[in-house]
Each structure stands twice: as structure tokens, then as C-alpha cells.
Amino acid sequence: MESTIAQVRLKGPEGEGLDPGSDKAVVIGAGIGGLAAAVRLATAGFDVTVLEAAPGPGGKMRCVPSAVGPVDAGPTVLTMRSVFDDLFQAAGTSLDDHLTLIPQPVIARHWWPDGSVLDLFSDREASARAVRDWGGPDAERDFRAFCTKAEAAFRAFDRPVMQSPSPRIAGILAGAARAPALWPALLSGMTLRRFLAGQFRDPRLAQLFGRYATYVGGTPDLSPAVLSLIWHAEEQGVWSVKGGMFRLALALAELAAAKGATFRYGQHATRILTRAGRVSGVETAGGDTIPAARVLFNGDPAALSEGLLGPDVRGAVPSTASEPRSHSARVWSFAARLTGPARPLAHHNVFFSDDPSGEYASLTQGRDQTAPSLYICAEDRADGTVPDGPERFEIILNAPPTAQSRAAPDRHEVETCLTRTFGTLQRFGLTFDPVPDATALTGPAQFAQLFPGSTGSIYGRSPHGPLAAFRRPGAATRLPGLWIAGGGAHPGAGVPMAAISGRHAAEAMIADRDSTSRSGRTAMPGGTSTASATTVPAPSRS
């Protein structure tokens, strides 16, 4: 029965009446999570304002200029396409009307110092044949068995965890009961490295799939075995976006604007305001105050608990939702002419270290790897052609987070990273002309400056430990009227996961508006915590 209590109207920051049933919403941050939410909120009739400190949308889905055009400096892999098909369909259109996605039959080309090279495909049979030709019949058998277990893990976690705003342990257990092959991966303390060592007789395959922990900011030594499900996410299909991944962010921003959302770029939000125990608006660095009954924060959750958005929201998210931190990265984004080995680069490539057992030891101790594996995206090879001339590259090295914040890397960092990157690649037969300079490098200190509160970590909370995935914050916070989305929130890091987090937040905000409008709920001080547990994140190579 509807409440008979008259609805209390919140006085907005500028003095006008603002009730909890208002459709005014502010999205702070135009990363993928914020953009996905803005599309859904605007489609649902919200009056949406998106504040973004950068000059354009994308967040970590960045691009930088090069001699042959914009080059990606963030995520390079698009998986789980259905997440984006659903998002565009929810807005009454289709993904294909806005972007050209190029399916990648070769998921990645993998290179080892011993000269061996292995392609894995979005077709399991093609991958199995390639593994057999590369490593023999035992390697093929091990690979097929692993695929079965990775698929079981994905299916057990997808609906009750990744797609659910509140992960359900009962659902996971039910899925595991139907898939005995999954049980070893769920054992307490079973790390990804230990799990893979029991799956593969060829240590190169264990090294290959162990690297998937880095896609969510961890290492195989300390991450849970269930992260093996990332392989199945990729096996279902990998796409590139024609023109660069950043065009996905542009398309989402254009769609949200077409639905009525207002974007204010170069506008840094400095404070989330409250009144009567509920969100009432947002202040910007330019001195503007935007009244809003609902705010979505699409940034690192630590920025809230550290008070970077004002004292009123310090307790909205517990500090444990962001600690300990995931790893960071050093990212080269540049254009050059490549002279390479007889076998050309694919669109996605991994060059492995010759020390698979000790590769991550220094990283877990907060130090840079001396002999890192390297990921290369040859951006202009997405359609299978090899450019005749300069082309665009993104190269990623894992790195620890940092408390420092700088606009540019220092000279020592650049020189060291040049040696570890291009010296290593030269031993594989790759040379780049010209070798990039400091302007092409983004490191942990630059990520720390770009994304306040992150300490350079680009994946949110660390995935290390058996329960780490359940300690990310959910969309709801302890403060009524405030929600969060992005790679630091449930369900975790990765482009599709950030979009799913935006869906969770938007659905919760819509439900809150509708229930408030129906019940005439009185705004009361305080509020209870409705933060949910989180889940296993999905892949991102940046």
C-alpha cells in the first residue's frame, strides 16, 4: 500500500525543490561503465548530465595521436559481444548501425624464446589441431580437457555471478554440481598456477593460460584457479573495432546524447553533495553546482573512500572494496615501420619470457619485472593485411601500482622500459623504426594522475586470494542516491564487465526512481548499506 506520508522535497544545492522521485541524474566519468549507464538512463527518460574531466569519452579506453592517426592506448580486445548488442538494442538501435566489428579468427599469436609459435583460434577444433602440430598429441589432449573445464567454469559463473547484480553462491554451487570437471578449480587455495600445472604437461601451455590472470591485474601465482574461465570468454569470439577501440566509446557517447543526455567534457567533479542523508547534487572545479537526486560515480571506488569527492561520501564505499590494489602497466602507443620475423605478427600477439616459473616474483613484491612477457597489438592488422609502411602499435608490460602521480614518465623509467621492451623484441627478430620516445609511454604514475584514487592500478581491487572476486563493491553504496560503475565495481575489470556494471547501476537507479515515485518515500538521514559482493572479472589486455 502506498505511503500516506507526504513526500519530503530536498532543497537542491541552488535552492530549488528536488524530490527523490526526480529524474535528474549526474554520471561522473565517461568510461565504459558510465557510458553504458548513461545510454540506459537516458533511454528510460532520465535527465542525464555526464561530467568528464578529460576532453572526450572513454576513460581507460583512450587513444593518443601518432604519425598515421589515433592509436589505442587502452583496451584492445572486445569479447562477449552480446553485452553490447543488448546495450544498443535497449536503446532501440543495433550495434552494427554504429560500428563495424571485425571478427578475429586468430585470438592471439604466441611466441616463445625457443622459436616456437602457436596460434589459438575462436574455433576450438582449429586450436586443438594447432596445439597438436605445435606440441604433439599429449598437448592436444591436455588442451581439450582444459577447454572443457574453462567452459564449465564460465557457465557456472556467468548467470549467477557475472550477470547478476548480487552474486549468488547457491547458483555457483548448483552449477558446480552439474559440472564435476569444475570442482578442482573451486578448491580453497587453488591458485591458477597450481591448477594449470596439473592440467598441462607442456609448461608452455601453463605459461600461456597463466598469463590470463594479468588481464584482470593479477598474477597466476596468487590468483584463483577459476580465472581459467577467461579463456572460454575469448574462445567464444574476439572482435576488433574498425578505426580503433576508442570508437566504441565515441559511439556510446553519441547514442546517449541522441537519447537526450548532456555531456560536459573538461568538467572535473570535485564534490558530491548531500542533503537530509541523500545525494542532492555535484559541484565541479569550475564552480558549477548541478542538482541531482541520483549520482553515478564511474571512477575508482577508492576516490570516494579517500574523500576526493568530498567528506559527505567518504563512508559510501568501504576502503576494503579497493584494497589491495591490482597491478598497473606500462603502455607504448606509437606508429613505426616494423621489420619482423618470417612469420608476421597477427592482430594480437604475446611474446613470452624465458622464465615462466619466476616471471612474476618481482611484480608481486612491488617491483618491475626484469624479463617480462610482452603483449603487442598490431592495430592495423585487424583485417588480416600487413601494412606497407608505418603502422600503429600498442605494447603492454605489466607493472606494479604506485603512490606517485606525474604527467610524464621520468628519464630513467623511459630508458629502462625502452631496453626491456625493444631489447626483448629485438631478440625475437622485431625492430621498429623509429623507436618511440617518452611521449608514447604511459606508466603507473601517469595512470595515477589520469584516474584519481587509483594509485596507478588499472583494474581496481586485486584478484589475488580465493575470495577477492567477492569483495568488489556492488552498484549500490551506503549513501542513498549514489551508485558506482566501472572496472573497480562488480563484476570487475574488462570492457564487457564495465558495461555490465553500468547496466546493474542503471537498473538500480531506475528501480529506485520508480519505487520512490510510487511510494512517496520520505528522505531520511543515514541509510543502510546495500553494497553487494562481486564476482570474477573478465578479460582486458590493458
Side-chain angles (χ1 to χ4, degrees):
M1 187 171 96
E2 290 192 1
S3 171
T4 58
I5 301 174
Q7 187 169 3
V8 174
R9 295 176 65 81
L10 302 178
K11 284 292 185 180
E14 294 179 330
E16 77 280 9
L18 184 67
D19 67 67
S22 166
D23 64 1
K24 289 183 177 293
V26 172
V27 176
I28 301 174
I32 292 300
L35 292 170
V39 168
R40 293 181 182 274
L41 292 171
T43 300
F46 276 79
D47 179 1
V48 180
T49 299
V50 182
L51 300 177
E52 172 53 60
K60 296 185 181 74
M61 191 174 279
R62 306 163 51 237
C63 67
V64 297
S66 79
V68 295
V71 56
D72 283 325
T76 62
V77 176
L78 183 65
T79 59
M80 299 174 67
R81 173 184 168 146
S82 61
V83 170
F84 294 94
D85 284 325
D86 176 70
L87 175 56
F88 279 82
Q89 288 168 9
T93 184
S94 76
L95 178 60
D96 291 329
D97 287 340
H98 297 263
L99 292 167
T100 299
L101 298 190
I102 305 171
Q104 298 297 303
V106 177
I107 292 175
R109 183 159 291 160
H110 306 87
W111 312 70
W112 281 268
D114 64 6
S116 58
V117 181
L118 173 64
D119 286 356
L120 291 180
F121 301 85
S122 55
D123 177 278
R124 185 176 298 183
E125 291 304 313
S127 291
R129 289 192 297 270
V131 169
R132 182 184 182 91
D133 293 342
W134 167 83
D138 286 345
E140 180 192 6
R141 282 190 289 270
D142 291 347
F143 171 75
R144 288 184 182 276
F146 172 72
C147 288
T148 299
K149 294 174 183 178
E151 181 175 359
F154 185 91
R155 296 193 184 285
F157 275 74
D158 184 33
R159 185 176 296 277
V161 182
M162 290 186 281
Q163 301 294 339
S164 171
S166 300
R168 294 178 289 111
I169 296 295
I172 299 171
L173 295 176
R178 294 190 296 270
L182 176 61
W183 297 348
L186 297 179
L187 293 175
S188 178
M190 176 64 76
T191 66
L192 184 59
R193 178 183 289 281
R194 182 181 165 198
F195 178 70
L196 295 172
Q199 303 303 305
F200 296 112
R201 282 165 281 192
D202 191 319
R204 294 172 299 176
L205 286 175
Q207 184 182 24
L208 188 162
F209 291 108
R211 181 174 167 77
Y212 277 54
T214 69
Y215 298 172
V216 292
T219 70
D221 310 76
L222 298 174
S223 297
V226 75
L227 287 182
S228 58
L229 66 79
I230 294 176
W231 161 244
H232 185 69
E234 290 206 338
E235 189 183 35
Q236 291 183 93
V238 168
W239 288 263
S240 65
V241 180
K242 186 176 181 180
M245 283 285 285
F246 70 93
R247 295 192 180 276
L248 173 60
L250 292 176
L252 288 172
E254 291 169 358
L255 180 58
K259 291 295 179 180
T262 299
F263 283 79
R264 295 174 60 174
Y265 297 114
Q267 294 284 310
H268 176 60
T270 56
R271 184 172 179 178
I272 297 172
L273 302 170
T274 64
R275 190 176 295 271
R278 184 183 174 95
V279 163
S280 61
V282 177
E283 284 185 354
T284 73
D288 293 337
T289 301
I290 305 172
R294 290 166 186 82
V295 171
L296 172 65
F297 179 64
N298 177 211
D300 197 296
L304 298 174
S305 55
E306 291 176 11
L308 300 184
L309 276 297
D312 292 353
V313 296
R314 266 188 179 274
V317 178
S319 59
T320 54
S322 302
E323 295 289 343
R325 305 301 303 184
S326 66
H327 295 312
S328 185
R330 289 193 168 83
V331 181
W332 296 98
S333 301
F334 63 99
R337 187 183 297 270
L338 172 67
T339 302
R343 188 165 186 178
L345 293 185
H347 184 48
H348 301 296
N349 308 267
V350 180
F351 291 83
F352 285 108
S353 164
D354 59 2
D355 182 22
S357 61
E359 180 178 357
Y360 299 103
S362 58
L363 196 60
T364 57
Q365 296 167 7
R367 297 181 288 108
D368 283 303
Q369 297 170 284
T370 55
S373 293
L374 302 170
Y375 164 76
I376 301 180
C377 177
E379 187 172 325
D380 296 306
R381 303 190 184 204
D383 60 1
T385 63
V386 178
D388 182 18
E391 53 184 307
R392 293 171 292 177
F393 297 97
E394 181 176 352
I395 304 178
I396 302 176
L397 302 77
N398 300 310
T402 180
Q404 299 179 3
S405 177
R406 294 193 302 269
D410 61 32
R411 179 178 176 181
H412 174 73
E413 180 181 8
V414 173
E415 291 177 350
T416 301
C417 195
L418 279 169
T419 300
R420 288 177 179 167
T421 305
F422 297 98
T424 297
L425 293 175
Q426 194 166 29
R427 290 193 288 274
F428 281 93
L430 282 75
T431 58
F432 297 85
D433 182 24
V435 173
D437 60 19
T439 62
L441 179 63
T442 304
Q446 289 73 62
F447 286 117
Q449 185 172 80
L450 287 167
F451 307 108
S454 69
T455 63
S457 167
I458 54 178
Y459 306 93
R461 196 185 193 281
S462 170
H464 293 165
L467 298 178
F470 294 90
R471 290 175 176 154
R472 289 178 183 263
T477 73
R478 293 169 173 169
L479 177 65
L482 176 63
W483 288 263
I484 60 174
H490 165 68
V495 176
M497 296 296 100
I500 291 173
S501 78
R503 187 191 80 207
H504 292 330
E507 290 174 348
M509 294 170 77
I510 293 167
D512 181 69
R513 178 196 61 177
D514 294 347
S515 65
T516 301
S517 297
R518 288 193 303 270
S519 67
R521 185 176 61 192
T522 301
M524 296 293 291
T528 58
S529 171
T530 55
S532 66
T534 65
T535 177
V536 177
S540 172
R541 287 198 176 99
S542 73

